[in-house]
């Protein structure tokens, strides 16, 4: 079989080592996943994704367009998607804000596309070269109306590659936009990793096969068949509530059925969508739940805490939405408290608290000065909390 | 995995987890130094993470590049304490010297930094800019010459890997000039440049 991860393999320094920048790895993942249309508008700290796509797409017969802004960028991606192309755009907070209305349209029209948001400090133009996780709830609820969301979070350079591929596969399979969140640290860092991860990467939720066979030939029941332009079938695509013909309807029953189907296609496949990794499973007295850059701090803190006699379990989430409900609730049943380090004021902690508060205490640990949370910060907070619970 | 290239003798080559910072001002090639060291470290079969921080200016302003090299996968990507600080500006020396570990290495451009902060660490003051101009006639090769000195004095990466990394990263047509600068740096004798510690 022909090697399908050829773009990544071109980056090898020698036969078995790679050193790639995060944003570059994201673009390579997109190319290896078959993305052949990219429309975007440059913005720090995501611009390198666009630069790589601009250089590489024409060589593989793809189309690259620099648009006049981010609204046009995502709309072009939706248009390409309706012709059957796999499309992608990349941006940061300010551009992601502009994309929100069209993200809703893509959900409604069931147009698969991938949106990468390399987060920087906000609100507004904020601090362009500074990491943040401030857009987590925007990724979930940025567009209006009741809608489902698939949101992945990358914590290292290898993630930027493989989660971009996962995002493409999820978008195709569930026919909806998929959002990949990274941050300035992950996007701009260069990191070594083994090319072995490219073919098959073990995640706790099962062997996740990133090759194209992953797309099921038969769409699941809840997923509407695609309306593809240029197939000689006259499609009708609209942001209005519509029935199976694609034309608008005001029928209450049909409206509810349609919206429920949009949700159900995600919720009913949570097991497949929720990618995660647990360290020290069942051995922790307390737990840290983390994603993105903070998951790296949490993993380092696990080792430090062990040395200091605090047994910790770390739940590293690659999928933020749909919420990994069962995974979090199982964890909540076995630990005294859950600490959630985030580069925001507790956006995801609120979600976890909602799921876990019947069984355990959820403590938010937010940092918004533009620096990462250090492993020391996490261990100190854990020690403080353990002490507090012992004395209580 | 194929055989890792032999490491040069030196203290940092034997440490399982090494944290390095290159600091200077924009335009000195500080970020490139970090990237080249990261490539060389990868060639040495180390796990490597390189991050950077810089101001918005094209020239001037602060610039720094951090590299973590380790024998095991790296979790926390940023610097927690420095094993090696390479300073090409007085501001970088002043700002980052406090993060050096006691058994760390402090290597600075003595043309730029005339009153270095007092140190417990192994200190080396070397006139990188002047040596670069003497060797290649170009101040732009200062960063590569300094990288040679860093590898020679500390063994943080192997010479073979560093040479290959430099050749793969510098602009086409400047390979020989940069290799000359690198070798001049590698040839520096530690006893000649070591500063007394406090």
């Amino acid at each position: 079989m022909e090697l399908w991860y050829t773009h990544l393999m071109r980056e090898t320094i020698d036969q078995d080592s790679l050193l790639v920048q995060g944003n570059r790895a994201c673009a390579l993942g997109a190319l290896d996943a078959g993305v052949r249309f990219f429309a975007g508008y440059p913005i720090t700290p995501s611009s390198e994704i666009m630069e790589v796509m601009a250089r590489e797409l024409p060589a593989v017969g793809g189309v690259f367009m620099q648009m006049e802004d981010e609204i046009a960028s995502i709309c072009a991606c939706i248009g390409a998607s309706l012709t059957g192309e796999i499309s992608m755009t990349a941006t940061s907070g300010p551009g992601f804000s502009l994309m929100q209305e069209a993200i809703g349209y893509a959900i409604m029209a069931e147009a698969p596309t991938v949106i990468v948001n390399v987060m920087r400090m906000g609100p507004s133009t904020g601090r362009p070269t500074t990491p943040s996780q401030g857009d987590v709830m925007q990724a979930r609820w940025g567009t209006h109306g009741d809608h489902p969301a698939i949101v992945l979070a990358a914590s290292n350079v290898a993630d930027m590659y493989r989660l971009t591929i996962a995002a493409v596969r999820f978008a195709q399979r569930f026919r909806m936009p998929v959002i990949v969140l990274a941050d300035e640290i992950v996007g701009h860092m260069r990191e070594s990793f083994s090319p072995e991860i490219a073919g098959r990467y073990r995640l706790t939720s099962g062997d996740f096969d990133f090759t194209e066979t992953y797309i099921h030939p038969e769409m699941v029941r809840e997923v509407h068949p695609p309306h593809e332009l240029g197939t000689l079938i006259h499609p009708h695509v609209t942001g209005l509530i519509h029935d199976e013909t694609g034309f608008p309807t005001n029928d209450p029953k049909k409206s509810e059925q349609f919206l429920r189907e949009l949700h159900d296609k995600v919720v009913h496949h949570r097991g497949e969508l929720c990618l995660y990794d647990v360290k020290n499973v069942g051995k922790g007295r307390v737990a840290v739940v983390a994603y993105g850059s903070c998951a790296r701090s949490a993993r380092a803190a696990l080792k430090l805490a062990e040395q200091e006699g605090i047994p910790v379990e770390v739940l590293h989430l690659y999928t933020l939405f749909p919420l990994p409900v069962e995974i979090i609730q199982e964890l909540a049943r076995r630990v005294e408290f859950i600490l959630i380090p985030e580069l925001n004021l507790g956006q995801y902690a609120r979600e976890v608290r909602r799921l876990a508060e019947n069984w355990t205490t959820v403590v938010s640990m937010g940092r918004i000065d533009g620096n990462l949370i250090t492993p020391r910060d996490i261990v100190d907070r854990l020690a403080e909390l353990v002490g507090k619970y012992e004395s209580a | 995995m194929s055989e890792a290239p032999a490491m040069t003798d030196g203290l940092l080559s034997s440490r399982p987890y090494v944290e390095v910072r290159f600091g200077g001002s924009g335009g000195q090639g500080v970020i490139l130094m970090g990237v080249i060291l990261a490539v060389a470290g990868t060639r040495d079969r180390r796990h490597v993470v390189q991050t950077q921080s810089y101001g918005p200016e094209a020239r001037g302003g602060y610039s720094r590049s951090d590299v973590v090299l380790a024998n095991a996968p790296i979790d926390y990507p940023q610097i927690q304490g420095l094993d090696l600080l390479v300073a090409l500006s007085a501001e970088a020396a002043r700002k980052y010297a406090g993060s050096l570990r006691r058994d760390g290495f402090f290597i600075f451009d003595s043309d730029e930094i005339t009153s270095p902060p007092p140190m417990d660490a192994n200190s080396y003051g070397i006139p990188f800019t002047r040596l670069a101009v003497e060797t290649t006639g170009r101040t732009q090769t200062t960063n590569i010459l300094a990288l040679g000195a860093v590898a020679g004095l500390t063994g943080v990466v192997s010479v073979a890997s560093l040479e290959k990394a430099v050749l793969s990263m510098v602009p086409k047509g400047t390979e020989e000039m940069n290799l000359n600068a690198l070798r001049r740096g590698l040839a520096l004798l530690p006893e000649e440049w070591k500063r007394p510690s406090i």
Side-chain angles (χ1 to χ4, degrees):
Chain A
M1 195 181 110
E2 206 188 330
L3 198 65
W4 61 271
Y5 42 98
T6 50
H7 286 91
L8 181 70
M9 294 308 284
R10 253 184 253 153
E11 303 289 312
T12 46
I13 284 176
D14 49 27
Q15 65 187 37
D16 46 21
S17 56
L18 287 156
L19 182 83
V20 192
Q21 193 203 34
N23 281 339
R24 189 169 177 85
C26 171
L28 298 170
L31 290 162
D32 280 338
V35 171
R36 291 297 178 265
F37 183 92
F38 186 100
Y41 188 82
I43 182 169
T44 301
S46 76
S47 300
E48 292 85 359
I49 299 172
M50 183 170 169
E51 286 171 19
V52 175
M53 293 310 259
R55 205 171 298 121
E56 302 294 333
L57 268 179
V60 293
V63 173
F64 169 86
M65 293 178 82
Q66 175 165 335
M67 305 303 291
E68 66 269 34
D69 59 27
E70 289 86 349
I71 298 175
S73 301
I74 182 147
C75 289
C77 286
I78 294 169
S81 162
L82 292 174
T83 71
E85 279 298 333
I86 305 178
S87 62
M88 182 171 110
T89 187
T91 188
S92 188
F96 193 54
S97 292
L98 290 179
M99 291 180 181
Q100 292 306 323
E101 186 190 359
I103 290 174
Y105 183 82
I107 293 166
M108 202 63 152
E110 297 189 83
T113 189
V114 173
I115 302 134
V116 182
N117 175 4
V118 186
M119 294 183 283
R120 63 190 221 180
M121 265 179 100
S124 188
T125 30
R127 272 171 62 185
T129 57
T130 303
S132 163
Q133 296 178 322
D135 307 347
V136 168
M137 289 314 289
Q138 186 189 23
R140 175 64 190 88
W141 287 117
T143 195
H144 61 274
D146 265 316
H147 59 269
I150 302 175
V151 182
L152 311 179
S155 64
N156 59 34
V157 173
D159 278 0
M160 287 294 268
Y161 179 79
R162 64 201 181 92
L163 290 184
T164 301
I165 295 173
V168 169
R169 298 287 172 260
F170 289 156
Q172 288 175 300
R173 171 140 157 70
F174 297 101
R175 300 199 60 77
M176 62 182 284
V178 174
I179 294 159
V180 178
L181 293 179
D183 61 57
E184 188 275 336
I185 289 282
V186 175
H188 278 164
M189 73 162 58
R190 288 173 185 82
E191 187 167 30
S192 58
F193 62 100
S194 160
E196 283 162 34
I197 70 111
R200 214 177 165 85
Y201 198 93
R202 176 128 188 109
L203 290 163
T204 314
S205 52
D207 248 354
F208 196 84
D209 187 352
F210 283 148
T211 56
E212 294 202 19
T213 55
Y214 175 70
I215 310 163
H216 293 205
E218 286 170 36
M219 292 288 180
V220 291
R221 187 179 53 81
E222 299 93 334
V223 181
H224 291 195
H227 301 270
E228 281 181 15
L229 301 174
T231 54
L232 297 180
I233 299 161
H234 287 261
H236 190 269
V237 180
T238 176
L240 292 167
I241 301 272
H242 50 273
D243 62 17
E244 64 283 358
T245 66
F247 285 90
T249 176
N250 281 332
D251 183 293
K253 211 173 144 215
K254 283 183 173 175
S255 301
E256 181 175 354
Q257 187 192 339
F258 174 69
L259 285 179
R260 287 206 184 277
E261 282 172 358
L262 285 187
H263 279 273
D264 288 350
K265 70 178 175 186
V266 174
V267 173
H268 289 177
H269 297 87
R270 205 153 53 204
E272 182 181 337
L273 285 163
C274 289
L275 308 174
Y276 68 100
D277 189 13
V278 199
K279 292 281 167 218
N280 227 8
V281 59
K283 294 189 195 128
R285 187 180 151 190
V286 299
V288 179
V289 174
Y291 57 91
S293 290
C294 287
R296 303 180 67 130
S297 309
R299 281 166 175 263
L302 171 79
K303 291 171 195 161
L304 203 58
E306 246 166 30
Q307 290 165 16
E308 299 182 15
I310 309 172
V312 183
E313 200 169 311
V314 171
L315 172 59
H316 178 172
L317 298 176
Y318 301 101
T319 302
L320 300 184
F321 300 101
L323 280 169
V325 177
E326 296 81 6
I327 299 156
I328 286 171
Q329 290 182 342
E330 273 170 38
L331 177 71
R333 285 190 186 95
R334 55 180 190 251
V335 295
E336 288 169 33
F337 60 84
I338 296 176
L339 181 68
I340 306 189
E342 291 179 275
L343 302 181
N344 59 47
L345 289 176
Q347 294 188 16
Y348 204 70
R350 272 195 287 273
E351 295 294 303
V352 175
R353 185 173 297 127
R354 198 156 63 77
L355 299 174
E357 65 188 351
N358 283 347
W359 297 281
T360 194
T361 306
V362 175
V363 182
S364 163
M365 180 179 183
R367 182 165 191 174
I368 53 165
D369 65 352
N371 290 317
L372 281 189
I373 294 172
T374 66
R376 187 75 257 168
D377 294 338
I378 294 175
V379 175
D380 286 349
R381 187 78 181 108
L382 287 173
E384 197 184 317
L385 289 166
V386 167
K388 186 175 150 192
Y389 285 86
E390 269 170 356
S391 61
Chain B
M1 280 230 170
S2 55
E3 193 75 8
M7 298 268 189
T8 44
D9 284 333
L11 287 168
L12 292 185
S13 56
S14 59
R15 294 186 195 173
Y17 197 93
V18 180
E19 296 172 89
V20 182
R21 172 165 291 169
F22 298 95
S25 48
Q28 286 183 313
V30 165
I31 289 175
L32 183 63
M33 290 172 88
V35 177
I36 290 175
L37 192 80
V39 172
T42 306
R43 284 188 167 276
D44 281 344
R45 302 281 181 276
R46 292 264 227 174
H47 294 266
V48 179
V49 172
Q50 181 267 336
T51 54
Q52 60 214 5
S53 175
Y54 49 88
E57 306 90 343
R59 281 179 193 76
Y62 80 101
S63 178
R64 74 162 199 246
S65 181
D66 297 338
V67 185
V68 182
L69 304 112
N71 295 344
I74 297 159
D75 289 319
Y76 188 65
Q78 292 193 327
I79 299 295
Q80 299 172 84
L82 288 170
D83 298 284
L84 167 61
L85 171 63
V86 182
L88 297 187
S89 76
E91 195 201 348
R94 196 170 49 241
K95 241 167 114 175
Y96 307 131
S99 309
L100 256 177
R101 297 203 164 91
R102 289 175 72 93
D103 60 351
F105 287 80
F106 176 46
I107 300 175
F108 60 94
D109 188 331
S110 55
D111 287 339
E112 296 280 335
I113 301 153
T114 44
S115 49
M119 281 286 167
D120 290 331
N122 301 296
S123 262
Y124 298 91
I126 304 170
F128 289 130
T129 315
R130 182 152 47 85
L131 290 174
V133 173
E134 280 171 20
T135 309
T136 67
R138 304 277 289 271
T139 52
Q140 289 98 317
T141 58
T142 303
N143 59 343
I144 303 297
L145 188 138
L147 264 179
V150 164
L153 296 172
T154 71
V156 62
V157 291
S158 71
V159 173
S161 295
L162 185 60
E163 281 194 1
K164 282 184 191 152
V166 166
L167 289 176
S168 68
M169 300 298 296
V170 297
K172 279 204 167 45
T174 68
E175 290 92 342
E176 202 177 317
M177 181 171 61
N178 278 300
L179 219 49
N180 286 338
L182 185 76
R183 288 182 178 149
R184 181 72 185 92
L186 280 163
L188 298 175
L189 301 168
E191 55 275 16
E192 201 174 324
W193 306 102
K194 189 149 170 62
R195 298 280 175 119
S197 62
I198 53 161

